Amino acid sequence: MHERLYKTHAVVLRRYDFGEAGRQLVVYTPNLGKLSMIAKGVKRVTSKLAGHLEPLTLSTIVAARGRNLDTVTQVDTVEAFVHARTDPDRVYYGLLVIELLDKLTLEGEENRALWDLLIQTLRRIDAEDDPWAAAAYFQVRLFVLSGYKPEVGRCVECEQPLEASNIHFSPTLGGTLCPNCRTADTRAFAVSANAVKLLRLAASPSYAAYARIRVPVGVRDELDAILHSSRLSITDREVGSATLLETLKRSSYRPIGGRREP
Amino acid sequence: MSMRITAEPVERLIEEFSRLPGIGPKTASRLTFWLLRASDDQARSLSEALRDMKEKIILCSQCFNITETDPCFICSSPTRERSVVCVVEEPLDILAIERTHEFKGLYHVLHGRISPLEGIRPDNLKLRELQARVRAGGIQEVIIATDPTLEGSATAFHIARMLAQEPVKVTRLAHGLPVGGDLEYADEVTISRALQGRQEMTEPEPRNGRR
């Protein structure tokens, strides 16, 4: 027999209106994976729960098991990630992280490594000078941990080691192609050896080694292109936050490395 | 397809009701059967109200509030201050602000907030229209009254950046502790904002007519 109440850490990934003033939440947890819950009355100004149930917040939730969905009864913030949530140059990176995590996970599948990655990434987006690096690392690691590990270093088609030049990346096959196999995917595009190196580092479990690299703008754009095509190939549709980041980057608002709001 | 369980018009109404937000199949059947027993007048009045609402309600060409006349009664009122515009997410937010009787300016309804998770991007909102209004001149202050949520804040920052080059003052509603709230249950962000926005306690002014 299950206890009626249980307690878990959680990060809200998504929420939508439920009933008069409630919200249904999709949360990610360390031991229960992704799950849906009901939080009653959180749209009321005086709700005791509301402030702790915003996306990009690490909270402790006490929930009561229901016949269908569980109901949040108590919640407290553990880490607020204030910068990640309120700095307009960071918030969309944070949203990209939770949106992609939501897309690539199924309810009820526990993945402790993914949880740890999520929390570390939110901390990095909150604290580091450049949120881009942490968000890019998260995406590559998310692909690795959910079974879409990109094959880098050798040709994904013929398995021969790659030369330093004339390398292509295939989003459909999920890896690099040698000059002889580049026709295997019509959507494959040329990438530099430096971008491949960065991708390999991002696929490894050590963030320190990856974060030491100073990434030139050109290589950064290449990794962005690799991530964009991979997201498209894996989820069929580009995620909303990524599209928004892209539009903002092209507009005059400059989300990356832009000035801080006073 | 499920089998037909009752007369076709009844089934159709149940189906229509169950499309409404917050109404499940049970509530939909209950409403339908109540209307079935209700007088003809009651049913006709409901259907007329529905049709009128759809036919007569338009968006105000200036503030995008829902209205019967264009411009809406707020935009065309001679007593409202035209130099202050309050930006809200939904028409319902105007009702909430109007109930305070504190605000005498005009409004601008965005019809949503930036929410990448729901696929709502800046160009889905009435943002360009806001910029055009500001550029047309006469506005001195834009008060951003989006929700104090992640999406509402993102929208607020977006507006602030959009209007940064314009000669207007851009302000946002204060964050703080709600009336009737309990400090002990407030989250860190709310409390830190409340601390930042603290106000000096002054001697209360004597009320008129009282000693």
Side-chain angles (χ1 to χ4, degrees):
Chain A
M1 187 63 195
H2 283 300
E3 287 278 334
R4 206 175 114 70
L5 287 178
Y6 64 94
K7 191 170 170 181
T8 176
H9 276 137
V11 172
V12 174
L13 302 182
R14 191 154 44 93
R15 58 212 200 314
Y16 27 93
D17 293 353
F18 182 89
E20 180 74 18
R23 284 201 178 111
Q24 184 173 337
L25 313 169
V26 177
V27 301
Y28 201 73
T29 65
N31 298 319
L32 305 160
K34 185 167 87 171
L35 68 152
S36 292
M37 294 183 174
I38 299 293
K40 288 178 182 163
V42 285
K43 278 161 60 184
R44 282 186 231 286
V45 175
T46 49
S47 166
K48 292 167 184 170
L49 308 176
H52 307 281
L53 290 173
E54 285 286 289
L56 307 182
T57 307
L58 170 59
S59 320
T60 304
I61 287 179
V62 178
R65 271 177 230 283
R67 214 179 325 166
N68 211 337
L69 290 169
D70 302 348
T71 304
V72 179
T73 60
Q74 290 171 47
V75 58
D76 211 354
T77 304
V78 180
E79 285 181 59
F81 306 120
V82 176
H83 282 127
R85 268 162 64 190
T86 55
D87 182 345
D89 293 324
R90 296 170 193 272
V91 67
Y92 296 116
Y93 287 104
L95 290 177
L96 173 61
V97 163
I98 56 175
E99 190 178 359
L100 203 58
L101 178 67
D102 184 28
K103 287 262 161 66
L104 289 189
T105 48
L106 293 173
E107 293 216 358
E109 277 182 8
E110 178 207 341
N111 191 334
R112 191 60 202 229
L114 217 48
W115 168 263
D116 292 339
L117 176 67
L118 170 67
I119 299 306
Q120 281 156 6
T121 304
L122 292 181
R123 279 183 194 139
R124 288 165 190 153
I125 290 178
D126 191 56
E128 289 180 3
D129 289 340
D130 182 4
W132 175 85
Y137 179 79
F138 171 85
Q139 293 177 64
V140 179
R141 287 295 296 159
L142 172 66
F143 294 152
V144 171
L145 292 172
S146 33
Y148 298 101
K149 184 179 181 189
E151 177 67 59
V152 275
R154 57 168 81 207
C155 174
V156 67
E157 191 73 1
C158 66
E159 295 184 4
Q160 293 301 307
L162 288 173
E163 304 285 321
S165 64
N166 209 349
I167 310 169
H168 285 70
F169 181 81
S170 158
T172 325
L173 299 169
T176 43
L177 290 170
C178 70
N180 300 328
C181 301
R182 57 170 287 195
T183 47
D185 178 8
T186 49
R187 286 161 65 201
F189 51 91
V191 285
S192 71
N194 276 337
V196 174
K197 192 178 159 199
L198 184 63
L199 181 60
R200 192 186 308 141
L201 276 171
S204 81
S206 160
Y207 182 72
Y210 161 86
R212 263 201 301 273
I213 308 281
R214 283 273 135 249
V215 186
V217 178
V219 177
R220 182 175 168 137
D221 288 345
E222 281 188 82
L223 188 58
D224 271 341
I226 290 173
L227 291 172
H228 167 73
S229 62
S230 304
R231 286 191 302 262
L232 272 181
S233 158
I234 293 168
T235 63
D236 282 334
R237 259 185 77 179
E238 178 59 300
V239 291
S241 326
T243 317
L244 193 53
L245 262 176
E246 203 46 48
T247 355
L248 292 178
K249 203 157 67 175
R250 268 186 269 111
S251 76
S252 53
Y253 304 129
R254 291 188 301 117
I256 299 152
R259 68 217 145 83
R260 282 282 187 83
E261 293 294 319
Chain B
M1 280 303 284
S2 64
M3 280 229 299
R4 236 177 83 180
I5 40 163
T6 177
E8 204 272 335
V10 172
E11 235 174 83
R12 194 176 132 212
L13 190 58
I14 294 178
E15 218 180 280
E16 289 295 333
F17 273 132
S18 48
R19 281 188 208 165
L20 301 179
I23 297 197
K26 276 277 177 291
T27 311
S29 332
R30 213 171 300 136
L31 290 172
T32 304
F33 279 89
W34 184 85
L35 282 168
L36 194 65
R37 284 192 209 103
S39 70
D40 286 1
D41 278 355
Q42 247 166 342
R44 196 172 308 117
S45 149
L46 176 68
S47 73
E48 272 166 17
L50 268 175
R51 205 186 48 227
D52 277 8
M53 186 262 291
K54 284 317 269 187
E55 279 173 3
K56 292 185 183 160
I57 291 298
I58 49 169
L59 294 185
C60 171
S61 60
Q62 288 175 32
C63 69
F64 301 96
N65 189 12
I66 48 167
T67 174
E68 263 185 289
T69 56
D70 185 23
C72 71
F73 74 96
I74 296 177
C75 287
S76 54
S77 160
T79 59
R80 312 270 323 194
E81 242 177 89
R82 316 202 78 80
S83 60
V84 189
V85 169
C86 179
V87 181
V88 295
E89 292 180 10
E90 301 292 345
L92 271 174
D93 298 330
I94 293 187
L95 296 187
I97 297 176
E98 283 296 290
R99 272 199 299 266
T100 66
H101 302 292
E102 285 275 335
F103 182 68
K104 297 280 172 262
L106 303 178
Y107 291 96
H108 188 91
V109 186
L110 297 173
H111 290 276
R113 62 225 152 309
I114 299 174
S115 172
L117 306 185
E118 296 164 77
I120 303 170
R121 283 173 296 126
D123 38 321
N124 300 127
L125 308 176
K126 305 282 182 199
L127 281 167
R128 227 166 281 160
E129 290 83 348
L130 174 66
Q131 196 174 31
R133 258 182 105 177
V134 170
R135 282 186 178 162
I139 296 172
Q140 278 161 22
E141 180 176 358
V142 171
I143 304 174
I144 305 174
T146 52
D147 288 344
T149 58
L150 190 93
E151 293 87 349
S153 301
T155 312
F157 282 118
H158 191 91
I159 297 171
R161 277 192 179 171
M162 184 180 81
L163 300 178
Q165 305 304 319
E166 312 293 337
V168 283
K169 185 167 149 194
V170 180
T171 55
R172 189 174 179 208
L173 290 193
H175 295 57
L177 298 167
V179 174
D182 197 327
L183 189 69
E184 166 186 8
Y185 290 105
D187 61 289
E188 285 86 332
V189 179
T190 302
I191 297 180
S192 57
R193 288 287 153 81
L195 271 170
Q196 286 161 15
R198 68 188 184 278
Q199 293 188 345
E200 197 178 334
M201 300 281 290
T202 47
E203 199 75 17
E205 284 173 36
R207 293 234 196 125
N208 290 340
R210 282 195 197 169
R211 256 172 286 165

